[in-house]
Amino acid sequence: MSVRLPVFALLALYVSLLEMGAATARPSHASLALRGDLPAFAPLPGRILSHAAETRRCCVQMQEGDERKLVRVVGAVVMKDGLVFMGQRPAHKERGGMWEFPGGKVDPGESDQEALARELQEELQVCSKVGDFVGVGCDERVELHCYRVELLGTPVLHEHDAVQWVPLEELRYLQVPPADVPVIEALLSLQPPSNE
């Protein structure tokens, strides 16, 4: 007999382990027994909407019996030469020190693309070109929608303690908020297998 914990509980447990320093590598969805709860995100033409719908279903299931509504946030997946741009959350904020896709909350009446362009201007003082949808993830508080983004200028830090360009294959080892995990998995699923 196997016991299946809610996704919310598993992600919270993993974040706790990260904060204690007990976990050094990000496990795959399979090792967390989430494969049936969270879809494998492969943003291929024609499949994006079905994956978004599946993740929304997952996020709704996580809220069952909970009166709180998830906050819709957007994140920028900026890639260049096999590297991904990541920002480190300020130490004084919740989940401080963790790495994230830059972005923020979607205001009422704003599209995801408008919100992302505004947030990047506020956080990094940079104009941007928002592109295709990459993936979506959620935790107990937020529903994160990520898009490919091209930065049109040099970022200046206002919200993050640090930024770095991370090799795509090393994203799995960063300490990130739980909502970022499915997006990272989506990016890694697009990477061609190594010849090792």
Side-chain angles (χ1 to χ4, degrees):
M1 177 176 144
S2 68
V3 176
R4 288 182 61 99
L5 294 173
V7 174
F8 167 89
L10 289 170
L11 292 173
L13 174 64
Y14 184 69
V15 169
S16 296
L17 289 172
L18 281 175
E19 289 170 351
M20 293 185 318
T24 57
R26 172 125 358 250
S28 69
H29 287 278
S31 67
L32 283 176
L34 298 180
R35 192 165 299 281
D37 295 10
L38 287 176
F41 292 88
L44 302 173
R47 296 185 60 191
I48 291 173
L49 291 178
S50 65
H51 287 303
E54 274 300 301
T55 302
R56 172 151 286 292
R57 180 188 61 77
C58 164
C59 292
V60 169
Q61 285 177 346
M62 287 172 54
Q63 294 185 94
E64 286 180 7
D66 190 347
E67 299 295 319
R68 294 176 297 175
K69 182 177 174 143
L70 294 177
V71 175
R72 187 178 184 98
V73 297
V74 287
V77 177
V78 182
M79 298 182 70
K80 182 172 70 172
D81 301 324
L83 302 173
V84 182
F85 186 80
M86 299 293 285
Q88 188 176 39
R89 292 185 59 78
H92 68 279
K93 289 194 173 183
E94 185 175 357
R95 296 191 173 138
M98 290 188 163
W99 294 90
E100 66 180 359
F101 297 106
K105 293 179 188 174
V106 178
D107 288 339
E110 222 176 11
S111 71
D112 286 356
Q113 293 80 1
E114 292 168 337
L116 192 49
R118 176 185 52 75
E119 285 286 347
L120 294 173
Q121 180 64 45
E122 291 173 4
E123 289 184 3
L124 300 172
Q125 297 289 297
V126 68
C127 293
S128 58
K129 179 179 175 187
V130 180
D132 295 334
F133 176 79
V134 174
V136 66
C138 55
D139 64 19
E140 68 277 6
R141 289 180 296 284
V142 301
E143 181 177 300
L144 171 67
H145 296 257
C146 286
Y147 296 83
R148 291 218 188 236
V149 170
E150 178 184 351
L151 298 180
L152 306 173
T154 304
V156 176
L157 298 184
H158 284 273
E159 285 292 318
H160 294 94
D161 283 349
V163 295
Q164 69 174 329
W165 290 94
V166 181
L168 180 60
E169 62 277 359
E170 292 180 21
L171 283 178
R172 72 180 84 231
Y173 303 113
L174 287 181
Q175 289 186 3
V176 298
D180 291 43
V181 174
V183 179
I184 290 172
E185 293 294 329
L187 293 171
L188 292 171
S189 74
L190 295 176
Q191 182 181 10
S194 63
N195 295 330
E196 293 179 13

